[in-house]
Amino acid sequence: MLKVNNINQYYGGSHTLRSVSMQVQIGQCIAVLGRNGVGKTTLLQCLMGVQSIRNGSIEFNGQDISRLPPYQRARLGIAYVPQGREIFSRLTVEENILMGMATQSGSKAKKIKSDIFELFPVLKTMMNRRGGDLSGGQQQQLAIARALVSEPKLIIFDEPTEGIQPSIIKDIGRVIAMLRDQGNMAIVLCEQYFDFAQALADTFIVLSRGEVIASGDSKQMSDPSIRQLLSV
Ligand SMILES: Nc1ncnc2c1ncn2[C@@H]1O[C@H](COP(=O)(O)OP(=O)(O)OP(=O)(O)O)[C@@H](O)[C@H]1O
Ligand SMILES: [Mg+2]
């Protein structure tokens, strides 16, 4: 479904991703783990096309998408929930959600499907509030809703629990588990909250200085050797 083959990425002269490979199938969740500053967000941005790779390739459903701009990847069914959420703070909740539907055409694009409010009931009560007036947790739910209304086949989460209160972390965990169990999308979950990632992931990779230094089945995640790579 998603297949990343030996990609390299540079910020100017600094070699940030070093021959990174990973894959994830539909119905599965891969956790991208690693300490601060190792290149996790950069990797996710390369998947979405926000950053470009120097070489290697990214395949999505058998198609090489390495050189496609973000909007074309979105049309193919890739959605991104960025680190820090990136809500449009001056737009309403409803307008933020509609932004997520911008890749759809025709009448389908005009109405927000009600199932999104079954996942996040709080958003329904806040449709006319400005995004910037929501709490961090509510903004995270809004960012996830905005991604889901595009009906993605691949959804990419960048540290969805960062700075979020525990009760909302639980809600978000339930939603990601449900998406995984529905079996119609693949999930890339970048996370530093180990237990959260382990509960959701089928497989994992650990990045260090832009390199994959460990990978495997999520059962192996709790090996002391893996935990050692993540502890600060
Ligand atoms: N736009 C940029 N221009 C130049 N360097 C950057 C840019 N974005 C990130 N970097 C650098 O690239 C490296 C990887 O950053 P990245 O944000 O991908 O790490 P991360 O693993 O997501 O970190 P965190 O856990 O803090 O979110 C860091 O050294 C960072 O300073
Ligand atoms: Mg990051």
Side-chain angles (χ1 to χ4, degrees):
M1 158 17 112
L2 175 74
K3 203 158 175 280
V4 175
N5 308 301
N6 295 307
I7 62 169
N8 286 281
Q9 190 274 354
Y10 292 76
Y11 289 116
S14 110
H15 193 176
T16 310
L17 295 179
R18 298 164 180 262
S19 202
V20 170
S21 297
M22 61 179 265
Q23 32 181 312
V24 60
Q25 305 302 331
I26 221 133
Q28 296 222 314
C29 173
I30 183 167
V32 175
L33 308 171
R35 294 173 181 146
N36 286 118
V38 297
K40 301 182 299 297
T41 296
T42 303
L43 171 59
L44 305 192
Q45 289 179 338
C46 288
L47 301 181
M48 194 63 227
V50 178
Q51 294 291 343
S52 48
I53 58 174
R54 177 152 321 166
N55 51 42
S57 69
I58 303 171
E59 287 170 48
F60 182 64
N61 282 331
Q63 180 185 354
D64 187 339
I65 61 165
S66 310
R67 307 287 156 210
L68 294 185
Y71 77 91
Q72 285 184 0
R73 298 189 203 198
R75 272 192 203 151
L76 290 174
I78 305 180
Y80 181 43
V81 183
Q83 186 167 19
R85 311 178 278 269
E86 297 181 16
I87 289 303
F88 301 101
S89 61
R90 298 178 67 85
L91 298 187
T92 64
V93 166
E94 181 176 24
E95 288 163 344
N96 269 280
I97 296 174
L98 288 169
M99 292 300 274
M101 298 166 73
T103 56
Q104 297 175 347
S105 54
S107 58
K108 205 179 161 195
K110 302 212 176 64
K111 196 163 182 313
I112 301 170
K113 283 205 194 151
S114 59
D115 45 2
I116 208 71
F117 302 115
E118 285 165 29
L119 296 181
F120 299 116
V122 70
L123 297 180
K124 182 149 186 104
T125 67
M126 298 191 164
M127 290 294 270
N128 298 317
R129 272 213 221 164
R130 284 193 190 191
D133 295 337
L134 270 54
S135 74
Q138 290 162 350
Q139 286 187 0
Q140 188 62 265
Q141 296 179 82
L142 176 56
I144 296 171
R146 181 178 62 185
L148 286 176
V149 290
S150 70
E151 301 182 344
K153 300 189 194 82
L154 169 67
I155 186 162
I156 301 167
F157 293 98
D158 196 347
E159 303 209 31
T161 70
E162 194 180 29
I164 307 291
Q165 66 186 71
S167 66
I168 296 185
I169 290 179
K170 272 196 183 160
D171 290 342
I172 290 171
R174 269 195 291 271
V175 168
I176 299 176
M178 193 213 73
L179 297 173
R180 182 199 57 196
D181 296 342
Q182 276 180 348
N184 55 8
M185 61 178 87
I187 301 170
V188 175
L189 173 65
C190 168
E191 203 30 89
Q192 295 208 53
Y193 178 4
F194 185 87
D195 294 342
F196 183 88
Q198 192 181 33
L200 293 167
D202 298 289
T203 59
F204 71 95
I205 59 171
V206 180
L207 288 181
S208 175
R209 294 189 191 168
E211 268 183 288
V212 177
I213 53 164
S215 63
D217 191 278
S218 62
K219 288 186 206 81
Q220 298 161 282
M221 266 175 74
S222 40
D223 283 4
S225 62
I226 300 297
R227 304 235 22 178
Q228 177 72 35
L229 299 173
L230 301 170
S231 60
V232 269

